Amino acid sequence: MKILALDSSGLVASVAVVENDTLLAEYTVNYKKTHSQTLLPMLDEISNMTELDLSTIDAIAVAGGPGSFTGLRIGSATAKGLGLALEKPLISIPTTAAIAYNIWDTDKFVCPIMDARRNQVYTGIYTFSKKAGEKEETNEVDPVFQVIRMQMAVAVDELIQRLNNYGRSVVFLGDGVPVYAQKLAEGLKVPYSFAPAYMNRQRAAVVGTLGIRYYKAGKYERAAEHRPDYLRMSQAERERAQRLKKESEGEKA
């Protein structure tokens, strides 16, 4: 099985091709470029270097959110366009699950944190040990990778409280780490660590690897059906809702 994978859910842009248990190619950039500038040229480069005929892929895996609203839209539009043109299904991978899957074979909790602004993070809690806690998600695609808390948008203080209540060691990764490292240090009462640079950000190789497992579990969709999972409204949507509320209250007065 051959999967084309895309991730533009955060600051990182990443494209990969995964075939069964082999990573054929991966192109990842985390440097001052917009995803609209980088994603397709990166795909072209990988296709040329590996002599990839896109018609031979079985599906397209994409980081489905949460994350940057603009980044998710670019990744979604790119994946949908390719899926429709190639008549291939799409596999939407939860962003925090894909980040957590960078880690392997640990009995610690794995906690990806993405900076969601306003003192909130996009996060989830995962582990590779069935003894670590009761998983909340059913229909697991990997019997080793356990979901303790499904992805959510939550205040950092609330996340710290949850982790303290669990009472287990935890490893953090994601772009929220440098933003909230001090707050985590001040609030956590459990042992913790931060993942190193080579495994602490989004990688399309991980999206593709999970994509194969999702596909085999029947968790895929037609390209036209795909929608990103934003988890919360964008700033523009929040401002519009507040404006409409004020206007409505003004009319009532």
Side-chain angles (χ1 to χ4, degrees):
M1 165 166 278
K2 189 181 294 183
I3 298 290
L4 171 66
L6 310 171
D7 194 329
S8 59
S9 59
L11 297 175
V12 175
S14 189
V15 180
V17 179
V18 180
E19 185 171 14
N20 299 320
D21 292 328
T22 301
L23 172 61
L24 298 182
E26 183 181 33
Y27 194 158
T28 299
V29 174
N30 182 18
Y31 185 77
K32 299 179 182 179
K33 297 287 186 180
T34 63
H35 298 322
S36 59
Q37 292 176 296
T38 57
L39 213 58
L40 286 176
M42 289 161 65
L43 173 57
D44 284 341
E45 184 69 19
I46 278 183
S47 298
N48 291 334
M49 290 293 291
T50 62
E51 300 177 348
L52 174 66
D53 179 355
L54 287 174
S55 67
T56 65
I57 65 173
D58 295 288
I60 300 163
V62 61
S68 157
F69 289 88
T70 301
L72 289 175
R73 290 189 188 102
I74 291 170
S76 175
T78 302
K80 288 181 72 167
L82 289 168
L84 290 169
L86 299 169
E87 298 183 340
K88 303 294 182 180
L90 261 59
I91 310 162
S92 182
I93 305 297
T95 303
T96 62
I99 297 174
Y101 210 67
N102 275 288
I103 309 294
W104 185 257
D105 195 20
T106 177
D107 59 359
K108 296 180 180 180
F109 279 168
V110 181
C111 186
I113 53 175
M114 302 173 66
D115 184 17
R117 314 246 182 194
R118 302 168 68 208
N119 211 36
Q120 287 192 331
V121 290
Y122 297 124
T123 187
I125 303 174
Y126 306 86
T127 188
F128 291 85
S129 169
K130 292 184 179 180
K131 297 179 181 179
E134 294 294 328
K135 65 177 184 284
E136 295 190 352
E137 188 176 22
T138 58
N139 191 22
E140 293 284 357
V141 296
D142 190 320
V144 177
F145 185 54
Q146 301 292 307
V147 181
I148 305 301
R149 291 286 302 183
M150 295 177 67
Q151 61 182 18
M152 55 189 168
V154 66
V156 178
D157 289 336
E158 182 179 340
L159 175 62
I160 290 171
Q161 182 178 349
R162 288 179 188 234
L163 291 170
N164 285 336
N165 289 340
Y166 278 120
R168 295 189 64 89
S169 299
V170 57
V171 55
F172 292 97
L173 63 169
D175 61 34
V177 168
V179 180
Y180 297 109
Q182 185 61 40
K183 183 179 281 288
L184 293 172
E186 292 170 354
L188 285 168
K189 296 179 173 59
V190 295
Y192 67 91
S193 60
F194 300 128
Y198 65 90
M199 60 171 61
N200 70 4
R201 292 293 190 274
Q202 288 91 332
R203 287 187 59 189
V206 183
V207 173
T209 302
L210 269 176
I212 290 176
R213 287 155 173 75
Y214 270 59
Y215 188 92
K216 290 180 177 178
K219 301 181 74 170
Y220 53 85
E221 59 192 347
R222 292 187 298 112
E225 297 171 343
H226 174 69
R227 298 289 184 277
D229 183 8
Y230 297 114
L231 281 190
R232 70 179 195 186
M233 291 189 296
S234 67
Q235 181 176 347
E237 290 170 323
R238 290 196 302 271
E239 291 175 351
R240 180 175 182 272
Q242 291 171 355
R243 185 176 67 253
L244 292 175
K245 182 179 179 180
K246 288 181 180 178
E247 291 174 356
S248 176
E249 291 173 347
E251 292 175 358
K252 291 179 181 179

